[in-house]
Each structure stands twice: as C-alpha cells, then as structure tokens.
Amino acid sequence: MPIKESELILNPNGSVYHLNLKPENIAENIIFVGDQDRVEKITKHFDSVEFGIQKREFKTQTGIYKGKRISVISTGIGPDNIDIVLNELDALVNIDLETRQPKEKLTSLNIVRVGTSGSLQNDIPVDAFVMATHGLDLNAMLHAYQINPVTNPDIEKAFIAHTNWNSDKGRPLIIANDLSLEKKFEGDLVFKGITATAGGFYGPQGRVLRLPLQDPELNHKIDSFNHNGFRITNLEMETSVIYGLSKLLGHKALSLNAIIANRANGTFSKNSGLAIEKLIKYTLERI
C-alpha cells in the first residue's frame, strides 16, 4: 500500500514538507548542526557548494570537500526537531516519492552531529571534544517507536536504580553509536562517554528560575553514575534521538560535541567559537 499523503507530506514541488529537499539535494555523508548560522561555518571550508535552501530553522547546503560530497543541515533545538529531520532524510533516500512505496534497496546515510555541550565531569575541560559512545534518552520521545531492539537494558536498569527514577516519567533509554564511525573519529584529544539528552533546556537540565524541580538531585545522580566504566560525560538535547532513529532506520550516526562549559566546576570557554571551529575541521578531515 502506498504511504498516505497525510503521513508523508510533500510540497507542491515534490520536496519533503519541512526540509524542502528533494532526493538529489542531499549527499550520503551528512553533518548535523543545531544553529543555522553554523552551516556556513562548515561550508566555507568546502571547495564548492552546489545547493542551498532554508525553510524555518532547517537550513541545508550540499557541496564538495576534498572530493567528497557532503550535506550540512541545521536541525534547530531538541528531540522533536530530530524526529522531523531524520524521518524526512530517510524518506528522501529510502522511499520512492512518486509511488510512495519504500524502495527495495535501502541506503544507509553517514550522519555526524557537530554540536556544543556542557561537561558534567571535572576532568573534561572546556574546549575539549566529547564523542558519545551512547545516547542516554531522558525525554521519552523515542517511546513512540518500537525502540527495544536497539537499546541497552543492562545500563538502563543500572541508571534507573542509581537515580531512583520516577516511574511517572518515561523510561530512560540507552542507544549506542555506530562503531565504524567511532573508529574513524576517535583521537587522543577526544573524550568518550555517554551523552545525556534532555527534552528541554531549563527544568529538564536541572536549571531553576521560578519553577521547582521534580528531582532537585537528578543532576548530581547523573554526574555520579558509573556502570562498568560507562559514565555520563555531558548533557544536551539531540544525541539520543539521532542514535535511536538512525539505528531503527538503518543509518550510521555519531555525535561530537565541543565542550563550552563545565557544569561541575562552573567554568565557561573563553573562546567557544575557536573550539567549535577546531571541531569542524576535525570532523571534515574524517567524515
């Protein structure tokens, strides 16, 4: 059965609804950034840019870097936006948009997130790079899908016990990165660990303005978690959903973050722009 028009929405020109992209507009190597202004900070290094478009916060540029075709896409902030971007990218490569049928031969995309984050550990300084071996999903969005085949129940159970997780909230999930991408991007100056993904910036990340928190000690519990050497290195808003949906859809994903703040010791980068620029160059040389 063809996928209904209400389920896979296309624009009048045949592009996917939110990203405004057609299949020929994207490469198989894709860099995700949150901030749309960061797209050009990456593509300025390209030898050429063949295509560019923006709709809402979703900005895309595709071009060539040292002979390799790469797309850079801004996702905006949060897990809900990742749900849009990954599903529409998968539709572009794995669904025939004319017949609305999944293709027999599926394409696997290489997706690398280049983001910024705050460190949760004293020994991971500002301006360092963190590679997420796993994404810790704290926002419950992935529970809309049949996620069990790609999770890590042993680590999840240990985290739930360690934090005395409130059963009224969605069950935390742990999803691993793609090991082949991890090997390509690992280096002496790259820290590894679990990246926690929250569903918001204030309360979900333990910030208090005027509203009290459900669990004021949750950040400390996250910081102190360690299960067989697995610890939580940083906290942001996208990684776990990138990992979860990529695994389910058959894509390869890796999340890299420049650490611009250390929440354990209260420090902030003196030149966060330089740290991000170094991570961009590091990524382009390895993707």
Side-chain angles (χ1 to χ4, degrees), residues 203-214:
Q205 293 191 36
R207 292 182 173 93
V208 178
L209 301 185
R210 292 201 312 116
L211 297 176
L213 301 176
Q214 180 272 322

Side-chain angles (χ1 to χ4, degrees), residues 92-163:
L92 288 171
V93 295
N94 289 324
I95 296 174
D96 186 318
L97 300 185
E98 292 186 2
T99 65
R100 295 180 168 273
Q101 297 274 13
K103 296 178 180 179
E104 289 187 12
K105 183 179 180 181
L106 300 179
T107 297
S108 179
L109 300 171
N110 298 311
I111 298 167
V112 179
R113 166 171 158 76
V114 174
T116 57
S117 184
S119 169
L120 301 177
Q121 304 294 339
N122 269 307
D123 64 311
I124 302 178
V126 294
D127 302 329
F129 301 161
V130 167
M131 174 191 294
T133 60
H134 299 75
L136 166 59
D137 192 79
L138 301 175
N139 60 81
M141 194 279 287
L142 284 171
H143 284 289
Y145 300 96
Q146 295 180 14
I147 192 72
N148 290 343
V150 300
T151 63
N152 289 265
D154 289 344
I155 310 176
E156 292 164 5
K157 289 175 184 176
F159 178 79
I160 290 168
H162 177 78
T163 57

Side-chain angles (χ1 to χ4, degrees), residues 34-244:
D35 184 358
Q36 57 195 289
D37 292 336
R38 199 173 295 154
V39 172
E40 266 104 4
K41 291 179 180 178
I42 297 178
T43 60
K44 72 180 182 182
H45 297 286
F46 283 15
D47 303 313
S48 62
V49 175
E50 68 185 60
F51 174 82
I53 199 165
Q54 179 169 1
K55 184 177 180 182
R56 303 183 185 182
E57 63 266 55
F58 308 115
K59 183 174 185 176
T60 302
Q61 290 189 353
T62 297
I64 303 296
Y65 178 80
K66 294 186 177 180
K68 182 168 286 190
R69 191 167 184 252
I70 302 170
S71 294
V72 185
I73 301 176
S74 65
T75 63
I77 298 173
D80 50 343
N81 278 8
I82 298 299
D83 182 61
I84 290 170
V85 173
L86 256 166
N87 274 290
E88 292 194 1
L89 284 176
D90 182 74
L92 288 171
V93 295
N94 289 324
I95 296 174
D96 186 318
L97 300 185
E98 292 186 2
T99 65
R100 295 180 168 273
Q101 297 274 13
K103 296 178 180 179
E104 289 187 12
K105 183 179 180 181
L106 300 179
T107 297
S108 179
L109 300 171
N110 298 311
I111 298 167
V112 179
R113 166 171 158 76
V114 174
T116 57
S117 184
S119 169
L120 301 177
Q121 304 294 339
N122 269 307
D123 64 311
I124 302 178
V126 294
D127 302 329
F129 301 161
V130 167
M131 174 191 294
T133 60
H134 299 75
L136 166 59
D137 192 79
L138 301 175
N139 60 81
M141 194 279 287
L142 284 171
H143 284 289
Y145 300 96
Q146 295 180 14
I147 192 72
N148 290 343
V150 300
T151 63
N152 289 265
D154 289 344
I155 310 176
E156 292 164 5
K157 289 175 184 176
F159 178 79
I160 290 168
H162 177 78
T163 57
N164 192 25
W165 190 258
N166 189 312
S167 60
D168 289 337
K169 298 193 290 189
R171 187 181 192 277
L173 302 168
I174 297 273
I175 307 104
N177 67 17
D178 178 80
L179 283 176
S180 66
L181 287 181
E182 178 179 323
K183 290 178 181 177
K184 284 181 68 175
F185 283 84
E186 61 189 2
D188 293 339
L189 301 178
V190 179
F191 291 84
K192 293 183 181 182
I194 299 172
T195 294
T197 299
F201 184 77
Y202 289 97
Q205 293 191 36
R207 292 182 173 93
V208 178
L209 301 185
R210 292 201 312 116
L211 297 176
L213 301 176
Q214 180 272 322
D215 183 356
E217 297 301 315
L218 182 58
N219 271 21
H220 173 67
K221 296 173 184 176
I222 290 173
D223 300 348
S224 59
F225 177 72
N226 192 313
H227 178 70
N228 295 333
F230 289 108
R231 63 173 183 163
I232 300 165
T233 50
N234 59 313
L235 180 61
E236 46 81 273
M237 296 176 63
E238 289 82 25
T239 293
S240 67
V241 183
I242 294 172
Y243 284 8

